[in-house]
Amino acid sequence: MSRPRWVAFVAVLGAAFMLAAAGCANDDNGGGGGAQAADCSADQFGCLTVASGEPIKIGTLLAITGDSRSLGVDSQRGVELAVDNLDGKLDGKPGQLLGHNVQLVNGDETCSKEGGQAGATKLAADPKVLSVIGTSCSSAALGVADTIFSKKGIMLVSPSNTNPGLTSEAQHQPFYLRTAHNDKIQGAVVVDFATQKLKAKTAATINDGSPYADGLAAVFREVFEKQGGKITNNEAIQPTDTDMKPVLNSIAQNKPDFLYYPDFSPACGLIAKQAQAIPGLKDTALLGSDGCANPDYIKVGGKATYGTWSSSPDQSAQATKNAFYGQQFLPAYQKQFGERPIAVFNAHAFDAFNILADAIKKVATDDGGTLTIPRTKLKDEIFKTSNYKGLSGTLTCTPLGDCATAVSIAIYKVPDWPIEGGTENPKPVFTETKTLQEASA
């Protein structure tokens, strides 16, 4: 039986209204029409919509309290300066990103697994947080924050995680990358300094049990032995230990040429101070790495730290080669915060925010001031970062999240180092540039 003509007309008219309504719905969904709506629906983690007049919320998850607060506070300052510089002016007045203010939501990971768990869980529960700059410490990221954020499709960009496991085939999380170096590089450079500069043939290590210290000490031992050196002791302490004499006395029995303690404060300063009183270590060279590189090293260790060594990214070269870093960034840092840098990853934090901001600009769609940002597309875009001329060096991100693939590591003689309380124009005693590929060979 055929339908009356008026029924067919109503059906056609209804279909037309449905199509029009679908078009309006697509427009409301994100400022890109149907194509953008399809991107959001196809994205496992969807899109973040930032309404006109609303801020873009970027989290930070850094060690801003506790014994390692210098590391986190220094990086947070780097992020704040990057936000200030969005308009190309380091004048203490935040710029805008795509016409929106940037709201920093600052979390604290206390340089611990527990802090990383709590801080990441809190930030990930906020549906308006787009991405996070963090963590400071590898212990707060490895298997903790990196996993929590990846499960939510939230990009985590670290300015100072250096543990090799974070970017290994077995453990890398898809929404994690870092602007800091991989400690495969730093460990190898420390070995070259010990063997080439100091002619060390025997060495001992002390690590505080953190993924950072354990991983870096392990790289050092492996490379040192490959170069023909002998490891006399591989000692472990707890971060809360204050009496280092039992461990130091054990090491002193073998009188190593070199003692490496890539730990955090206050352990670094306590090791340097107490080692001075042990006769068997009188001729042993002492070296800590960037976890020790903060004013507390000297505050805790006193003048016993003078003449010890510290490895870190070559900030002296950064200040010399990069006019913006030396002539604008460092003066702005000192003016805004009332002191020189208190750790060595401020430039890496500045770069972390900027490569994220560049990726946001490339993937966001703007519909009358309302931004729509697909989370997976943002992740894919930031991983495409290549030959980016940052403050910390040239960044090219690998599929496993290492963006600092060619790094210059410097060795400084304390207190001639680029930290608040150190000399005005520090000169490293040893520098070496290695690629991640060379260090991994």
Side-chain angles (χ1 to χ4, degrees):
M1 183 174 69
S2 62
R3 293 180 297 174
R5 290 183 180 179
W6 66 267
V7 173
F9 174 76
V10 169
V12 171
L13 187 62
F17 277 120
M18 289 177 65
L19 287 171
C24 292
N26 284 341
D27 288 343
D28 290 342
N29 191 47
Q36 182 63 38
D39 285 345
C40 291
S41 62
D43 192 313
Q44 178 185 355
F45 302 104
C47 295
L48 175 68
T49 300
V50 184
S52 179
E54 285 187 349
I56 300 172
K57 293 176 75 171
I58 304 294
T60 68
L61 185 57
L62 302 163
I64 54 177
T65 63
D67 291 328
S68 299
R69 67 173 296 276
S70 293
L71 180 61
V73 170
D74 184 67
S75 289
Q76 189 165 295
R77 290 171 175 177
V79 175
E80 290 172 8
L81 289 170
V83 175
D84 287 350
N85 195 56
L86 281 170
D87 59 0
K89 301 175 184 176
L90 279 174
D91 55 6
K93 300 175 183 177
Q96 289 191 324
L97 178 58
L98 296 175
H100 290 253
N101 293 334
V102 172
Q103 178 184 347
L104 296 178
V105 184
N106 298 321
D108 184 9
E109 44 94 322
T110 67
C111 200
S112 69
K113 180 177 181 179
E114 296 76 16
Q117 176 84 28
T121 300
K122 184 176 180 180
L123 284 171
D126 185 343
K128 285 294 187 178
V129 169
L130 176 61
S131 302
V132 177
I133 306 298
T135 60
S136 296
C137 299
S138 297
S139 55
L142 185 60
V144 190
D146 62 349
T147 304
I148 291 169
F149 289 127
S150 279
K151 287 181 177 179
K152 289 280 192 175
I154 297 172
M155 198 69 225
L156 179 62
V157 186
S158 174
S160 62
N161 291 164
T162 55
N163 179 273
L166 283 157
T167 55
S168 67
E169 287 274 4
Q171 298 179 8
H172 177 250
Q173 296 297 315
F175 279 76
Y176 174 89
L177 55 73
R178 60 184 171 200
T179 55
H181 58 266
N182 187 314
D183 270 332
K184 288 182 179 181
I185 297 174
Q186 181 164 219
V189 173
V190 171
V191 169
D192 288 347
F193 168 72
T195 57
Q196 297 173 21
K197 185 80 173 180
L198 302 184
K199 309 301 180 185
K201 292 181 171 51
T202 58
T205 63
I206 302 175
N207 81 80
D208 62 13
S210 67
Y212 160 75
D214 185 45
L216 187 45
V219 170
F220 172 86
R221 291 192 301 271
E222 179 183 359
V223 178
F224 190 75
E225 288 183 324
K226 279 183 178 179
Q227 293 193 13
K230 179 183 178 182
I231 298 296
T232 63
N233 297 75
N234 169 22
E235 304 288 349
I237 58 172
Q238 294 297 315
T240 54
D241 288 349
T242 57
D243 184 5
M244 306 297 175
K245 292 189 290 294
V247 166
L248 292 170
N249 278 317
S250 176
I251 293 172
Q253 293 178 18
N254 296 303
K255 298 182 178 180
D257 300 324
F258 190 79
L259 173 57
Y260 187 36
Y261 45 100
D263 301 317
F264 289 106
S265 294
C268 297
L270 292 170
I271 290 169
K273 184 175 184 178
Q274 295 175 28
Q276 191 179 51
I278 297 177
L281 297 176
K282 179 172 64 73
D283 297 321
T284 300
L286 275 61
L287 188 146
S289 280
D290 34 43
C292 301
N294 62 74
D296 288 338
Y297 182 57
I298 295 176
K299 288 178 182 177
V300 172
K303 290 193 175 180
T305 61
Y306 289 15
T308 64
W309 314 94
S310 174
S311 69
S312 70
D314 190 355
Q315 287 196 312
S316 300
Q318 288 171 216
T320 301
K321 296 177 181 178
N322 190 313
F324 179 83
Y325 183 73
Q327 297 173 22
Q328 296 185 56
F329 180 87
L330 290 178
Y333 184 111
Q334 189 161 0
K335 180 179 180 181
Q336 187 160 330
F337 306 114
E339 58 186 347
R340 292 167 61 200
I342 54 175
V344 293
F345 291 106
N346 45 80
H348 299 75
F350 187 90
D351 290 344
F353 178 86
N354 281 321
I355 63 171
L356 172 62
D358 282 358
I360 292 170
K361 292 175 186 176
K362 291 176 181 176
V363 304
T365 57
D366 188 339
D367 182 13
T370 294
L371 301 180
T372 302
I373 308 169
R375 290 188 179 276
T376 301
K377 193 173 182 181
L378 175 62
K379 181 261 292 184
D380 293 343
E381 189 62 43
I382 196 169
F383 268 88
K384 292 178 184 177
T385 300
S386 180
N387 202 34
Y388 178 86
K389 305 300 183 184
L391 290 191
S392 62
T394 300
L395 303 176
T396 296
C397 299
T398 71
L400 291 174
D402 273 310
C403 299
T405 50
V407 179
S408 179
I409 298 292
I411 309 293
Y412 295 93
K413 193 170 187 178
V414 181
D416 189 25
W417 62 344
I419 304 296
E420 172 68 21
T423 54
E424 190 67 31
N425 295 299
K427 303 295 182 188
V429 297
F430 184 88
T431 59
E432 188 174 25
T433 300
K434 281 186 182 292
T435 66
L436 182 56
Q437 184 176 11
E438 291 169 342
S440 300

